[in-house]
Every structure is written in structure tokens, then in C-alpha cells.
Amino acid sequence: MLSGRLALLSFVMLAAVSVPAHAATIRITIDKLTFSPASVSAEVGDTVEWVNKDALAHTATARNGDFDVTLPPSKTVSSVLRKAGTVDYYCRYHPNMRATLTIAP
Ligand SMILES: [Cu+2]
């Protein structure tokens, strides 16, 4: 019983070590053709969970070419931030949809 608990504890500790301490998951929701929140701070290695609540397809397309994520209707897509910078992004289908990601190294 006790050794089982110890084994579980060491497993949890190993898992914690293998993931960078700052890696976080950030949720950005698209609802009625709006990215929300419109301005997000993140770090390289963080995951963005793009939640598209619209019945339309969207994209999250970086103006500087750093990322281009396709967001099918009513789907959630995850992408990992690989590059630091202040990135303005938009939707290729609805160019009025705009937002900013500030990615620290
Ligand atoms: Cu769109």
C-alpha cells in the first residue's frame, strides 16, 4: 500500500520535472467573430487552446508569418508557441477579426 503510494509520488515528481515550469495553457475563444481576450501575454512553450464557438471557420494568422492556425467551426485546436515576439494576428476569412499575442522568450 505504502510502496504503491511512493511509486505514484515519484512518478508525479518525474512528470513535473520533464515539463518546463512556466509552460501554461492559454485559452483564446472566438465567439461572434471576435477573439477574446483580444490581448494575451504568453511565453515560448505555452500552448494556446483556440476555442471556436462560431458555426464558421476562422484562422489565427500571424501578420509576421510566425503561425497560421485553421479553426474549423465549433472546434477546439491547440498550438504551441515556438517563437517570442509581439504578434498581431487576424482571421484570413474575416480580416476585421484582429488580436495580439505578446510572447516572452
Ligand atoms: Cu474568421
Side-chain angles (χ1 to χ4, degrees):
M1 195 71 95
L2 182 62
S3 64
R5 280 204 179 175
L6 276 175
L8 180 64
L9 184 64
S10 4
F11 174 77
V12 169
M13 287 170 76
L14 273 177
V17 168
S18 61
V19 175
H22 63 264
T25 298
I26 293 146
R27 182 167 297 179
I28 298 177
T29 300
I30 299 96
D31 195 6
K32 299 185 186 75
L33 293 96
T34 305
F35 291 107
S36 174
S39 178
V40 168
S41 294
E43 293 184 23
V44 170
D46 287 353
T47 297
V48 177
E49 209 172 72
W50 305 92
V51 182
N52 183 5
K53 294 194 168 175
D54 286 343
L56 300 163
H58 296 296
T59 71
T61 305
R63 287 205 193 275
N64 65 3
D66 279 0
F67 57 80
D68 186 6
V69 184
T70 299
L71 309 169
S74 307
K75 287 270 187 302
T76 297
V77 177
S78 291
S79 64
V80 177
L81 300 171
R82 298 287 182 203
K83 218 175 142 208
T86 299
V87 183
D88 293 319
Y89 65 93
Y90 66 104
C91 171
R92 277 188 276 116
Y93 309 136
H94 314 99
N96 285 335
M97 294 174 61
R98 288 177 223 161
T100 304
L101 258 173
T102 304
I103 306 154

